[in-house]
């Protein structure tokens, strides 16, 4: 694959005796949207957290561009980055979680500018201008001064997306961003994500929204028991699954 942005090789992750990831391999090109599907407990969210070094690997490596995630490579040896170095590396990776994780004592605008001002040392006036533009982009123009408690779940998640975008990431990770929302609020968040996909942003999305995956993804990967057992275009995987676990999962979803 040309222009690879994300490369995972033989990724393993264990929590004690529980082997959650058992050799995940994946390449994602710049500008590509990859959706990860699979039953709960298949390792999707853990893999996403490994990409952002929120979980350390038990074995294997992940690269973002030319950098090994979470480590500095010295010949054949790897040295884990300090917290400060890992935070610097994360600046290029945006992540949106199931829960919105907004600061409750800050307005929508204040939540968005916190990272650019504190981490990237952006001038407050520039950060506020960008935050207003991003709020408009996610359909929340005029809600700059609203606190999280004054916003619906869908609106809070859209603020969380704007907050991640404010850091100008080259990669966006979404961990089931609609799973905590009431059904009638799911569409407004998916619409924002569709717009981001059309803009050419590289995205890896853990989701159970099959319709979204079919419409937006360049490729769909199905995970089972800590491994990617099938990957291909949405039509290949969703309309004509080759692996029995993929077929069984989709038969329950549709």
């Amino acid at each position: 694959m040309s222009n690879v942005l994300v490369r995972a090789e033989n990724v393993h992750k264990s929590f004690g005796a529980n082997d959650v990831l058992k050799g995940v391999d994946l390449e994602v090109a710049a500008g590509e949207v990859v959706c990860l599907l699979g039953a709960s407990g298949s390792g999707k969210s853990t893999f996403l957290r490994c990409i952002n070094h929120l979980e350390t690997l038990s074995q294997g490596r992940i690269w973002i561009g030319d950098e090994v995630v979470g480590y500095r490579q010295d010949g054949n040896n790897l040295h884990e980055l300090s917290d400060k170095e890992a935070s610097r590396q994360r600046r290029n990776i945006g992540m949106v979680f199931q829960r919105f994780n907004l600061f409750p004592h800050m307005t929508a605008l204040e939540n968005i500018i916190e990272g650019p001002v504190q981490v990237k040392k952006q001038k407050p006036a520039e950060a506020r201008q960008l935050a207003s533009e991003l709020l408009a982009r996610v359909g929340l123009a005029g809600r700059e001064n609203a606190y999280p408690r004054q916003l619906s779940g869908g609106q809070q998640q859209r603020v969380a997306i704007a907050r991640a975008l404010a850091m100008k990431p080259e990669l966006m990770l979404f961990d089931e961003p609609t799973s905590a929302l009431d059904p009638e609020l799911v569409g407004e968040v998916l619409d924002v994500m569709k717009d981001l996909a059309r803009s050419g942003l590289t995205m890896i999305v853990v989701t159970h929204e099959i319709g979204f995956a079919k419409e937006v993804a360049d490729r769909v990967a199905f995970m089972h028991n800590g491994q990617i057992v099938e990957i291909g275009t949405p039509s290949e995987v969703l309309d004509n699954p080759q692996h029995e676990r993929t077929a069984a999962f989709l038969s329950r979803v549709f």
Side-chain angles (χ1 to χ4, degrees), residues 239-250:
D239 297 333
N240 189 29
Q242 299 301 301
H243 195 281
E244 61 178 356
R245 294 300 307 171
T246 313
F249 175 83
L250 292 173

Side-chain angles (χ1 to χ4, degrees), residues 124-241:
E126 294 177 359
R128 284 193 293 270
Q129 177 63 33
L130 175 61
S132 293
E133 293 171 359
L134 289 172
L135 283 170
R137 182 176 182 181
V138 300
L140 291 173
R143 303 308 305 273
E144 289 85 353
N145 296 320
Y147 287 90
R149 66 179 180 274
Q150 298 170 316
L151 301 172
S152 70
Q155 290 172 329
Q156 290 184 61
Q157 191 63 293
R158 284 185 279 157
V159 173
I161 293 172
R163 179 178 59 182
L165 292 173
M167 297 296 286
K168 299 182 179 179
E170 58 182 346
L171 170 66
M172 280 285 283
L173 307 175
F174 292 88
D175 186 8
E176 298 191 38
T178 61
S179 65
L181 300 178
D182 292 333
E184 66 268 22
L185 302 177
V186 169
E188 63 191 47
V189 174
L190 293 181
D191 285 343
V192 170
M193 294 172 63
K194 290 174 185 176
D195 177 68
L196 295 178
R198 287 191 291 266
S199 75
L201 183 63
T202 310
M203 297 164 54
I204 303 177
V205 184
V206 172
T207 184
H208 290 297
E209 301 290 340
I210 304 300
F212 171 83
K214 183 173 288 191
E215 179 180 351
V216 174
D218 296 295
R219 287 185 299 153
V220 171
F222 184 79
M223 291 190 68
H224 172 65
N225 198 25
Q227 296 178 311
I228 292 176
V229 298
E230 186 165 0
I231 187 168
T233 65
S235 60
E236 288 171 341
V237 175
L238 301 177
D239 297 333
N240 189 29

